[in-house]
Amino acid sequence: MREDRDANEWRVPSAGLPAPTGPAWLVEPDSGRRYDLTPSLTMIGRSAPSHIALGADPYLSRRHAAIQAQGPGYWFLDLSSANGSFINQRPAVGPQRLTPGDVIHLGMTSLRFETALEDQSQGPL
């Protein structure tokens, strides 16, 4: 049986580093739907009280995962969900630092991680 994690008690050690600069969000590649991440802890699950509620996916747990903005970036954690989580097709075990372009798989849902810094790095066209 998997250990139950409480996202409210989970924190990535920041070693006094500043919070990430600029906003970040998740995008559903098929629909283009965008979900903005909160400046601290964003909960992802099947229904409220999750910040990102993906109720159409029956393979999601009620509280499936969390993304925390801390230190130099954003961190992903599966909250002991029944079906697990994957980042770039690899199992997400323990806190995982996200980088722009990472694809998170939760149940049957895929979400791509993006940041404002990624958009700005493209430069003028």
Side-chain angles (χ1 to χ4, degrees):
M1 178 164 241
R2 296 179 73 175
E3 170 188 335
D4 185 30
R5 293 186 180 147
D6 183 354
N8 294 324
E9 295 176 8
W10 168 65
R11 295 289 181 262
V12 174
S14 66
L17 296 171
T21 57
W25 55 90
L26 301 174
V27 175
E28 286 186 71
D30 293 337
S31 69
R33 184 168 181 186
R34 175 177 156 161
Y35 302 95
D36 292 329
L37 300 178
T38 64
S40 58
L41 184 70
T42 302
M43 300 292 296
I44 304 169
R46 194 174 55 231
S47 59
S50 296
H51 299 102
I52 299 174
L54 303 167
D57 188 337
Y59 295 99
L60 285 178
S61 295
R62 184 176 54 84
R63 291 177 358 130
H64 197 99
I67 295 177
Q68 181 180 359
Q70 187 158 353
Y74 290 82
W75 296 80
F76 177 90
L77 181 69
D78 182 274
L79 299 174
S80 299
S81 64
N83 293 309
S85 301
F86 299 82
I87 299 175
N88 301 325
Q89 300 181 347
R90 293 189 178 116
V93 179
Q96 303 285 314
R97 184 168 181 195
L98 294 171
T99 57
D102 281 348
V103 178
I104 301 165
H105 299 277
L106 312 164
M108 295 174 38
T109 303
S110 294
L111 301 166
R112 187 177 59 249
F113 175 71
E114 298 180 357
T115 68
L117 296 176
E118 174 187 25
D119 287 348
Q120 293 169 3
S121 68
Q122 304 280 327
L125 296 176

